[in-house]
Amino acid sequence: MRIGELSRRTGVSQRSLRYYEEQNLLTPTRLPNGYRDYDERTVTTVRRIQILLSAGLGTSAVAEILPGAVDDTVVLAGRCPELIDGLAKERQRIDTAIAALIAARDILDSLVGRPLDPEADTPSG
């Protein structure tokens, strides 16, 4: 199938599909006229890429994961220890980022309605 049909079937823009190819996430064959030709399995691969990207993984991590994704019935199969370790590290990175964002939000919440002059908080006696 050509890139337009792949785009329609997956809901992913042609621009994104070309980007995935640049990042070595997709490897279409080239027809004699230079057009990209994707096989049927590419639909599943694109859907898998979208899920992994939405999980916060970067394209380099996705590129490492895709070769091990051989079961088309699940996003990922947990048979590869390196994959599991890598995803655990990525999850920890996300947890750390979430904790930092929550702390920043809490600081902002504490600033709302707070007097500018710290002395204003103490009752005068």
Side-chain angles (χ1 to χ4, degrees), residues 1-15 17-18 35-38 43:
M1 86 188 79
R2 296 218 306 242
I3 195 167
E5 181 181 348
L6 181 61
S7 175
R8 281 188 297 282
R9 290 184 58 189
T10 60
V12 175
S13 71
Q14 292 182 33
R15 181 176 181 204
L17 295 172
R18 286 187 204 96
Y35 290 171
R36 293 168 176 85
D37 186 45
Y38 299 93
V43 173

Side-chain angles (χ1 to χ4, degrees), residues 9 26 41 58 63 67 70 81 85 99 113 117 124:
R9 290 184 58 189
L26 298 177
R41 193 152 185 249
V70 294
D85 291 345
D117 182 4
S124 55

Side-chain angles (χ1 to χ4, degrees), residues 76-97:
L76 295 173
R79 295 188 185 102
C80 175
E82 293 84 9
L83 171 63
I84 294 169
D85 291 345
L87 291 177
K89 287 178 186 172
E90 186 62 22
R91 188 177 194 288
Q92 181 58 47
R93 183 195 66 76
I94 291 170
D95 284 344
T96 301

